[in-house]
Structure formats: C-alpha cells, structure tokens
Amino acid sequence: MVEILIAPHAGFCFGVRRAINIAEKASLLTQEGRRVFTMGPLIHNPQEVDRLRGKGVEVLSSADGLREGDVVIVRSHGIPPKRERELRRKGLTIMDATCPYVKAVHEAVTQLAKEGYFVVIVGEKDHPEVVGTLGYLEEAGGEGAVVERKEDLREVLGKERVGVVAQTTQNEAFFKEVVGELCLWVKELKVINTICNATSERQEDVYQLAPEVDVMIVVGGRNSGNTRRLYQISLSLNPRTYHVELPDELQPDWFKGVKRVGVTAGASTPDWIIQGVVEKIRELCS
Ligand code: F3S
C-alpha cells in the first residue's frame, strides 16, 4: 500500500482564500443585473477561474468594454494606483482583493523611496504584482530596478543607498543571494523582507518532504509562479518530481515500485483539485 504524504501547507493561502471570498460576494451582485469582472484571472488557476465564471465573474484583459456601474475586482496581486484611479473615474465599483502582504510591499517601496533609497525589487519583471509595486514606487517619486536574475544587479552598480524588497512569492534562497551580493557593493543597504509566510511555509514543506519520498507531485496552474518555484525546489532535491495541473495528467509509469509519494500544491490551488490528485495517485498505485 502506497503512503501518500500531503504537505501541511499545500494549497490556498490566506490572500487567495480572501480574494475568492470577495469574488463570491461580488458574484451576488449579478442578481441585481450588475456585471462583475476581474482584470485578468483572479488567481493563477484556470479551473478555479472557470468555477467563478460559472457564478458570473468574468475575466477581462482590458478595461475597454467596461461601463459605469460595472463591478471590478482587483486581484490579490494588486494594481498600480494610477490604474485604480482610471477605473474609478469610469464610474466602476472597485472591490479590492489585493492581499495585505502585497499591500505591505507597496508600503515598503513607498517608505524606501521617501527615504531616498534606490529601490531593488527582487522578483519577476512582468509579474502583475511587480507591475503594481512599480506603480507605487513611481507614485512615491522613487527610482528602482527589478532583479530577476543576478545579471540584473548590474543596473544597481554605483548606487550608494539601496533599499531591497521582494515579490511576496520570491524564492528565499535567491533573495538571500541578492542581498548577499548587494551588501558587498553598496555603501548603505536597507532590507525589508516582504516574502510572505505562505511562500516560505510552502517552500519549507518541500525542503522537508521531497528528500523523504520516492516521488513528489506538485499540483498547480502552469501560469502560477509560486507553484513553479515549488516544483523547481523539489526537483533540485528529488529528480522524480512532477508538476501537474489536473489529476488526469498523472502517468502510471511515475509510480512503478513506489512506496511513498509526497504531494504539495501552490498557493492558488483549490482543495478540490488536490483531493482529486490524491485519489488518482491511490488509483494508479492500487
Ligand atoms: Fe498573499 Fe502570500 Fe498568498 S502574498 S496572496 S498570502 S502567497
């Protein structure tokens, strides 16, 4: 009989759960004839986005088709303040599902900019959270750079006073590496660690679980950055690591002769998908 070990913090984080609750509440407004939208998918999980669509919460890629009275849910990633003002000017009702941990990054860059630091955001350049954070930096009149790879640090060379924050879902090891490099190069360094607990807890689970099992399954949207990072960490510890979005993607070959399987899931993966994956693993191993 195969043993399936589920990581203690697998699946929805506090911010995603909160965003979904806000979307569920917003969906009730469709009963009054209001149209409800999210700008881009609410979370990086296509199946959960489809479930909400079934309740009337549509996904928009641009604000062009919006009209007065429409309801727009700001995603947990947040948006630049300028963008929010534009939406309000259109007469839209804004329901803000920005995660409080993301708001803390906005506050951190605003504070650093006001104190005159050149701001380094350790994160993915095109990630909506980072785009939103850059908007707050601009609003505060600050200057900064996004560091996605070590090479990006070249932009920071020559700066005397540098403040560092992280995208909330950033890999802790990379954040440490960047901070370690910077403290050798700049005169004054101020670090505000804005990686949220949900990320570190999920990554810590993988460090513990992946070396202990024969096969590790990471469940989550392929467009979910935090899921992809869990996969990369797990793969570095256990070569038999697989990333799946849905139970049907599990292959019987992966489980031949296996005694222990570890399962974890990104912060945007709903429980019903994790349960489906666990059941399918049991079926394939029986
Ligand atoms: Fe918020 Fe962290 Fe989740 S920033 S949305 S609690 S991964």
Side-chain angles (χ1 to χ4, degrees), residues 13-25:
C13 60
F14 150 79
V16 165
R17 225 175 268 286
R18 182 174 169 273
I20 287 176
N21 285 341
I22 290 173
E24 300 262 7
K25 266 191 208 133

Side-chain angles (χ1 to χ4, degrees), residues 43 45-57 59 272:
I43 60 169
N45 187 281
Q47 294 74 28
E48 186 64 14
V49 170
D50 281 347
R51 191 187 69 80
L52 289 168
R53 189 176 286 120
K55 296 189 161 210
V57 181
V59 180
W272 58 271

Side-chain angles (χ1 to χ4, degrees), residues 77-208:
H77 309 304
I79 54 172
K82 200 165 143 197
R83 183 89 187 106
E84 189 176 332
R85 284 197 296 274
E86 281 164 13
L87 295 174
R88 287 192 194 277
R89 270 202 295 273
K90 276 178 170 256
L92 306 169
T93 302
I94 306 292
M95 292 182 80
D96 189 2
T98 307
C99 177
Y101 289 109
V102 174
K103 281 199 191 290
V105 189
H106 299 164
E107 280 160 24
V109 295
T110 303
Q111 179 199 327
L112 290 170
K114 287 191 176 147
E115 290 170 5
Y117 288 96
F118 180 88
V119 178
V120 166
I121 303 166
V122 183
E124 295 156 277
K125 292 181 183 173
D126 297 327
H127 193 284
E129 180 191 318
V130 173
V131 173
T133 301
L134 284 170
Y136 278 84
L137 180 61
E138 190 189 336
E139 189 92 341
E143 253 197 296
V146 181
V147 171
E148 188 168 334
R149 300 182 187 83
K150 268 175 111 181
E151 302 86 271
D152 298 327
L153 279 169
R154 277 191 218 117
E155 261 192 83
V156 190
L157 280 177
K159 308 284 177 200
E160 295 219 329
R161 299 177 73 230
V162 173
V164 189
V165 299
Q167 182 183 333
T168 52
T169 50
Q170 190 51 229
N171 179 327
E172 286 188 326
F174 183 61
F175 184 65
K176 270 191 215 158
E177 218 177 305
V178 170
V179 170
E181 287 282 325
L182 280 172
C183 69
L184 300 173
W185 295 356
V186 301
K187 271 203 179 137
E188 188 188 332
L189 185 68
K190 180 164 177 177
V191 181
I192 304 181
N193 180 0
T194 49
I195 296 179
C196 88
N197 283 348
T199 302
S200 38
E201 283 165 355
R202 277 156 191 71
Q203 292 180 1
E204 195 43 49
D205 283 353
V206 171
Y207 283 112
Q208 306 261 339

Side-chain angles (χ1 to χ4, degrees), residues 193-243:
N193 180 0
T194 49
I195 296 179
C196 88
N197 283 348
T199 302
S200 38
E201 283 165 355
R202 277 156 191 71
Q203 292 180 1
E204 195 43 49
D205 283 353
V206 171
Y207 283 112
Q208 306 261 339
L209 191 55
E212 299 291 317
V213 294
D214 302 312
V215 170
M216 190 69 192
I217 303 295
V218 182
V219 192
R222 293 195 206 291
N223 55 351
S224 154
N226 79 84
T227 305
R228 283 201 308 266
R229 267 188 291 280
L230 291 180
Y231 169 72
Q232 283 154 4
I233 294 170
S234 181
L235 190 64
S236 71
L237 299 161
N238 185 333
R240 293 179 75 180
T241 295
Y242 304 96
H243 176 183

